[in-house]
Amino acid sequence: MDVGQPDTKISRMRMRAAWMYYIEQMTQNEIAEILGVGRVTIVRMLAEARARNEVKIGIQGYLSDLVALERQVEKQFGLDKVIIAPLSHPDNDPIPAIAAATGDYLSGIVSNGMRVGVGWGRTLLNTLSYLEARALENFTVISLLGGISQPRRFNPAEFAWQFAQLFQGDGYLIPAPAMVDSIETKTALIERCGLKSVFEMAEDLDLVLLSVGAIETASSTPYHIGFLNQGHQASLAERGAVGDLLFHFYDKQGRLVDHPIHDLVMSVGIDTVQRVPARVLTSGGKEKIKALYGAMALVRPTVFITDEESARRLLVLAEQENG
C-alpha cells in the first residue's frame, strides 16, 4: 500500500479493509461487520484500493505496520477498534501523539444528542487542542470525577467543561474534590448538596472517555496533584494495585483492590462505566503498561487509543501473562 497517500479517515479505513481482505483473507461480510459499514462500502473500498495501485503483492510501509499492530491488539484483548499513533522515537513522550489521535477520533464520532461522560488527566487535557470544534445540538458532557478544591494553575477537572464548550454543548461538573475526608462527607455532598443529579445523569451515557494512571510513578495525576501521598502509594501497591481509573485502584488482573481510599472517592462507580455502550480508553507510556493491561479487564474498552511503543509493550506483557 502506498504510504505516500494522506492518512485520512477514509484512507485509513481503506487500508484496514485491504489488510483484512488480502492479508488475513477475511470475507467482505466479515470485514463489513468489524468496520461497522455495509458490504457494498467494502466492495467500493477494495475496488478503489486496486484502482489507486495501493494493493500490490502485499501491504508494505510504515503505516501498514501500524495497521498490523492494531489488529494484533484487537485480537489479543477482544477490542472492537484500536488506534495506534506513531512515535518518531521509542523514548519520546507519547502523550502528544495519543492526544492527536484521540482528538481526531472524537471529532469524527461526536454527534447531536450525544451524552458523553469523561474522566480527566494530562492525556485528556492535551486532547482539547486536536478536537475539531463545531456546534452540536443537545450535546452534553458530564464529568465522572470531582476536581481540585484549591485554586491552581492546572485544574484538569475543567476538561469536561472545555470539551463541552468546543461543541457548544452543556457541561456538568462534580463540584467537589476528587477525594474527601470521610464517608459522611461523601454522603452529605451527594444526598444533601445537589450532587446526586450529576451522578444520576451518568447512568445514561452514550460514550465514556477515560485515561488511566499508574501507581508506580509520581507523574500520575492523583499523586501529581497531591491526592495521593507516599503512604497511600505504598499501601495500594502492597495490595497489588497497578493503576487507577477515576481514582478506582485495581490490580493487573483488572480487579479493584480492597482499600479504604475507595470510600472517599467522589466519582461514579466502575459498574456504571462498564454499562456504557461505547467505552473509549486513551493512554500510554512505558510506566502505564501494567495499568493498561489491568484496565482491559476492568472496563473492557470498545475503543483503545495508544502509541506504538505502548502497544508493543502491552502485547509482550500479555504474552508473558498467558504463558
Side-chain angles (χ1 to χ4, degrees):
M1 185 165 290
D2 184 4
V3 296
Q5 295 293 328
D7 186 23
T8 63
K9 294 182 180 70
I10 295 174
S11 67
R12 186 183 183 90
M13 183 175 287
R14 192 170 62 241
M15 290 170 65
R16 288 168 62 85
W19 178 275
M20 294 178 195
Y21 187 76
Y22 290 102
I23 303 301
E24 298 188 7
Q25 299 185 341
M26 297 174 64
T27 67
Q28 294 172 353
N29 286 335
E30 289 172 336
I31 298 169
E33 184 177 351
I34 290 174
L35 297 183
V37 298
R39 180 180 175 277
V40 174
T41 300
I42 298 301
V43 172
R44 285 202 302 264
M45 283 183 176
L46 295 175
E48 185 175 359
R50 292 192 297 270
R52 290 171 173 263
N53 292 320
E54 292 174 337
V55 176
K56 300 182 176 67
I57 297 175
I59 302 179
Q60 302 175 348
Y62 183 67
L63 292 180
S64 67
D65 288 344
L66 293 187
V67 173
L69 191 56
E70 288 170 347
R71 294 291 295 142
Q72 283 182 273
V73 177
E74 287 171 359
K75 287 184 176 181
Q76 176 64 53
F77 296 101
L79 307 177
D80 293 345
K81 185 179 184 64
V82 171
I83 299 172
I84 295 177
L87 286 181
S88 58
H89 191 279
D91 293 332
N92 285 359
D93 180 3
I95 287 181
I98 297 171
T102 304
D104 180 67
Y105 174 73
L106 292 173
S107 297
I109 65 165
V110 294
S111 59
N112 296 329
M114 185 174 281
R115 182 177 285 194
V116 181
V118 299
W120 50 266
R122 195 160 66 98
T123 302
L124 296 186
L125 196 64
N126 276 266
T127 298
L128 294 170
S129 301
Y130 300 98
L131 290 168
E132 183 182 339
R134 64 185 186 278
L136 293 176
E137 296 180 4
N138 195 28
F139 183 74
T140 305
V141 179
I142 302 156
S143 177
L144 304 179
L145 177 68
I148 301 172
S149 56
Q150 296 85 8
R152 298 181 65 157
R153 181 179 62 84
F154 174 65
N155 189 340
E158 294 180 2
F159 170 73
W161 178 252
Q162 295 182 52
F163 186 21
Q165 289 293 98
L166 285 171
F167 298 102
Q168 298 183 27
D170 296 319
Y172 294 86
L173 303 180
I174 297 177
M179 286 177 56
V180 293
D181 60 352
S182 68
I183 297 176
E184 291 75 20
T185 299
K186 179 177 179 176
T187 301
L189 286 171
I190 294 174
E191 299 295 335
R192 299 195 293 274
C193 297
L195 300 190
K196 188 175 182 179
S197 61
V198 180
F199 282 82
E200 289 174 343
M201 291 177 70
E203 295 294 332
D204 185 25
L205 299 174
D206 300 299
L207 181 148
V208 64
L209 176 64
L210 304 165
S211 188
V212 302
I215 286 295
E216 60 191 35
T217 172
S219 65
S220 65
T221 301
Y223 190 94
H224 181 66
I225 64 177
F227 281 120
L228 287 189
N229 56 38
Q230 290 182 345
H232 289 135
Q233 210 171 16
S235 62
L236 284 163
E238 287 174 0
R239 289 166 169 80
V242 296
D244 86 279
L245 191 145
L246 298 178
F247 280 31
H248 291 81
F249 298 88
Y250 57 90
D251 63 19
K252 197 162 55 174
Q253 284 70 45
R255 301 170 302 204
L256 293 178
V257 300
D258 183 14
H259 195 283
I261 202 169
H262 289 142
D263 294 329
L264 309 178
V265 175
M266 294 295 297
S267 76
V268 303
I270 293 297
D271 56 340
T272 298
V273 172
Q274 292 170 337
R275 290 193 295 269
V276 180
R279 300 174 300 280
V280 181
L281 177 64
T282 173
S283 195
K286 59 184 179 181
E287 75 282 359
K288 293 186 178 181
I289 303 306
K290 292 179 182 178
L292 287 173
Y293 184 85
M296 294 299 169
L298 179 65
V299 295
R300 302 184 300 277
T302 56
V303 178
F304 175 44
I305 306 173
T306 192
D307 65 282
E308 59 179 314
E309 184 66 18
S310 296
R312 292 191 176 96
R313 289 175 180 265
L314 192 57
L315 288 172
V316 170
L317 178 58
E319 184 177 355
Q320 293 171 347
E321 291 296 313
N322 295 330

